[in-house]
Amino acid sequence: MAVDNDRVEGSATNLGGKVKEGAGRLTGDEKLKNEGIADQVKGKVQNAVGSVKDALKGK
């Protein structure tokens, strides 16, 4: 049973955002931190879209 690519990409974007946010916090780089937070939101939305697609496919 394959999951939708949006779920995989969304999870990866979310994880990358967490890393960016952490790096921004560690270095005091507000721009990097905020980019990380934005990436996390984007990843969560993309993951949700993939979940809906999977549900429509009956997975």
Side-chain angles (χ1 to χ4, degrees):
M1 176 164 93
V3 295
D4 189 82
N5 283 341
D6 282 322
R7 290 184 71 185
V8 175
E9 291 175 18
S11 293
T13 301
N14 186 14
L15 181 61
K18 288 181 182 190
V19 171
K20 260 188 188 180
E21 180 187 7
R25 286 184 191 276
L26 187 64
T27 62
D29 186 338
E30 285 296 313
K31 182 178 181 233
L32 185 61
K33 182 182 95 171
N34 291 331
E35 285 175 5
I37 292 169
D39 285 350
Q40 289 176 60
V41 171
K42 178 182 173 187
K44 288 176 185 177
V45 169
Q46 191 173 14
N47 193 335
V49 167
S51 293
V52 169
K53 286 181 180 178
D54 281 344
L56 292 174
K57 292 177 187 176
K59 294 184 180 180

